[in-house]
Amino acid sequence: MFDILVTGGAGYIGSHTCVALLEAGFSVVIADDLSNSKFEAVSRIRSITGNKVTFYPYDITDEIELERIFTRHAIRCVVHFAGKKAVGESVEMPLEYYRTNLLSTISLSRVMKRHGVKNIVFSSSATVYGNSKKVPYSEKSPTGNCTNPYAWTKWMNEQILSDVVRSDPDWSVVILRYFNPVGAHTSGKIGEDPLGLPNNLFPYLTQVAVGKLEQLPIYGSDYPTKDGTGIRDYIHVMDLAEGHVSAVRKCLRDFGVQIYNLGSGKGHSVFEVIHAFEEATARKIPYVICPRREGDVSASYASTKKAAEELHWKSRRTLADMCTDAWRWQESNPQGYC
Ligand code: NAD
Ligand code: UDP
């Protein structure tokens, strides 16, 4: 029996992916320094799945701590989520972002190499498509031209891992470019728990609905889209989690670098999301139109063809499911994990 190491497994996407991996029969070890998450998420993964998950509260930029994990466990594959992810913060603290997001991948890959572990699934982002205008984005769309340090760290990590494969073709690297993960596990036990004021649309929306925030700012109603608001590809976090199960299987089977978009392939405007949320939850969402947010593109959505053909994976859940599940999590955990 071998283990899958999930770095950042106590975080939003990591916790849902651990549930999906455990339910698919994999054995999971989590390494997370809890810098942006709480141990309670790990307890809830255990309670949803009834599975024992080993947890290490380690900083994965530290090779000595990683060594302990690789010495104790027969790791066959790593799913690497750990890192910093706030775009605005990355503009204010670029060195912290480059340090954590690059050093984590470098330390991890060095320790993996020492232990002969050559399979890794990496969390990248649609943000690597930068301000390239032509949607839908396919994996062959141009990357680079990134608009902030966070996005550059994703782009550079893709390069680092591709170079590792070039140096040793026995490695298997699966790079997943996520679009906009939202929603929560249907149990309402795990979900997104941002620190402070949410940056993203869904957590802001649910915090307005629960009465923690007064009104939703809509960043721009003058985009060249159907109703003037920005269009994004929202994907249910459990669909995304199941995409990782397919990616791990692919990673264990193949060699080389494979890159996949994980999105729904559908674009929804901010107004469409608000209306879907109001319908799914029977709550009214007060909003105010604000100027555009710097760095935002008008529309971003995925071509999902490659993931469907090669990972045999497609998102199944609807925008209504995303709203219902995000709301169930928020309503049953108004203060998040505490
Ligand atoms: P998250 O912040 O909820 O999870 C990341 C986890 O990594 C946290 O639990 C944090 O404590 C941990 N971590 C951070 N630095 C660490 C370190 N040095 N050592 C050990 N653990 C560390 O974020 P998320 O939304 O679950 O995102 C997971 C991954 O997916 C990230 O790499 C993120 O950049 C990427 N991603 C997220 C989105 C999104 O919209 N949420 C979109 C595209 C890509
Ligand atoms: N958005 C908004 N109000 C908010 C947060 C986001 O109008 O409080 C808009 C944003 O301009 C974009 C869409 O909602 O058009 C999705 O934004 P999010 O930050 O969730 O994702 P990203 O822009 O990073 O893809």
Side-chain angles (χ1 to χ4, degrees):
M1 182 66 172
F2 62 84
D3 291 320
I4 309 285
L5 173 63
V6 180
T7 75
Y12 173 45
I13 305 171
S15 55
H16 290 80
T17 300
C18 286
V19 169
L21 285 168
L22 289 160
E23 282 174 349
F26 289 102
S27 167
V28 169
V29 173
I30 297 176
D32 193 310
D33 67 358
L34 302 178
S35 53
N36 196 39
S37 53
K38 306 226 171 68
F39 178 73
E40 180 60 20
V42 178
S43 303
R44 297 197 187 179
I45 295 169
R46 288 176 177 151
S47 93
I48 292 170
T49 58
N51 261 303
K52 195 175 139 283
V53 179
T54 312
F55 173 74
Y56 293 94
Y58 291 171
D59 176 350
I60 63 145
T61 62
D62 184 336
E63 290 188 28
I64 296 170
E65 301 210 312
L66 283 172
E67 274 291 342
R68 277 190 217 125
I69 300 178
F70 281 80
T71 307
R72 277 185 208 158
H73 297 270
I75 307 290
R76 270 280 297 283
C77 180
V78 178
V79 185
H80 177 29
F81 293 104
K84 293 178 169 289
K85 65 159 183 179
V87 170
E89 190 182 59
S90 79
V91 176
E92 284 154 30
M93 308 164 60
L95 295 176
E96 283 307 307
Y97 271 68
Y98 286 115
R99 187 188 175 282
T100 303
N101 289 6
L102 299 186
L103 195 54
S104 56
T105 304
I106 293 168
S107 302
L108 189 58
S109 308
R110 279 166 54 85
V111 176
M112 287 172 68
K113 187 175 168 196
R114 284 204 286 275
H115 289 262
V117 180
K118 298 183 178 181
N119 300 311
I120 182 165
V121 175
F122 175 67
S123 298
S124 190
S125 164
T127 190
V128 299
Y129 295 119
N131 52 15
S132 132
K133 299 236 166 359
K134 206 164 158 280
V135 283
Y137 295 132
S138 89
E139 291 79 355
K140 289 202 173 112
S141 296
T143 61
N145 261 328
C146 297
T147 53
N148 56 76
Y150 165 73
W152 279 118
T153 68
K154 291 298 177 194
W155 188 85
M156 289 177 193
N157 268 312
E158 290 195 3
Q159 184 64 44
I160 291 168
L161 290 170
S162 303
D163 285 340
V164 169
V165 171
R166 226 162 274 135
S167 75
D168 178 354
D170 283 349
W171 277 72
S172 172
V173 172
V174 178
I175 291 169
L176 301 177
R177 294 179 178 155
Y178 312 153
F179 281 70
N180 290 60
V182 300
H185 190 262
T186 44
S187 64
K189 287 186 178 172
I190 54 173
E192 189 169 13
D193 182 20
L195 284 176
L197 197 64
N199 294 309
N200 300 112
L201 179 62
F202 258 75
Y204 209 113
L205 191 61
T206 57
Q207 291 196 17
V208 170
V210 85
K212 269 177 90 176
L213 295 168
E214 210 175 303
Q215 55 186 3
L216 176 76
I218 296 184
Y219 297 133
S221 60
D222 58 351
Y223 282 108
T225 59
K226 48 193 158 188
D227 60 23
T229 63
I231 287 184
R232 294 291 182 278
D233 181 333
Y234 298 96
I235 170 165
H236 195 294
V237 67
M238 283 311 298
D239 277 331
L240 191 73
E242 287 158 13
H244 285 73
V245 176
S246 303
V248 165
R249 291 196 174 115
K250 175 91 178 155
C251 189
L252 290 169
R253 267 198 316 267
D254 272 17
F255 296 104
V257 183
Q258 321 290 336
I259 302 181
Y260 300 103
N261 286 338
L262 293 189
S264 71
K266 297 185 190 85
H268 291 290
S269 74
V270 177
F271 278 132
E272 280 175 346
V273 171
I274 295 174
H275 294 146
F277 189 85
E278 289 182 334
E279 200 149 297
T281 65
R283 309 232 141 200
K284 198 87 203 122
I285 300 297
Y287 63 81
V288 56
I289 305 288
C290 298
R292 291 181 182 193
R293 191 171 62 174
E294 213 188 305
D296 269 0
V297 293
S298 64
S300 164
Y301 53 93
S303 158
T304 55
K305 198 164 165 267
K306 192 175 174 207
E309 283 173 4
E310 295 182 19
L311 293 180
H312 312 294
W313 167 90
K314 252 185 173 171
S315 73
R316 298 183 284 128
R317 296 158 176 95
T318 63
L319 183 59
D321 296 330
M322 301 178 211
C323 294
T324 308
D325 293 340
W327 177 235
R328 186 182 301 106
W329 153 254
Q330 181 73 74
E331 202 181 18
S332 22
N333 303 269
Q335 306 305 326
Y337 295 111
C338 48

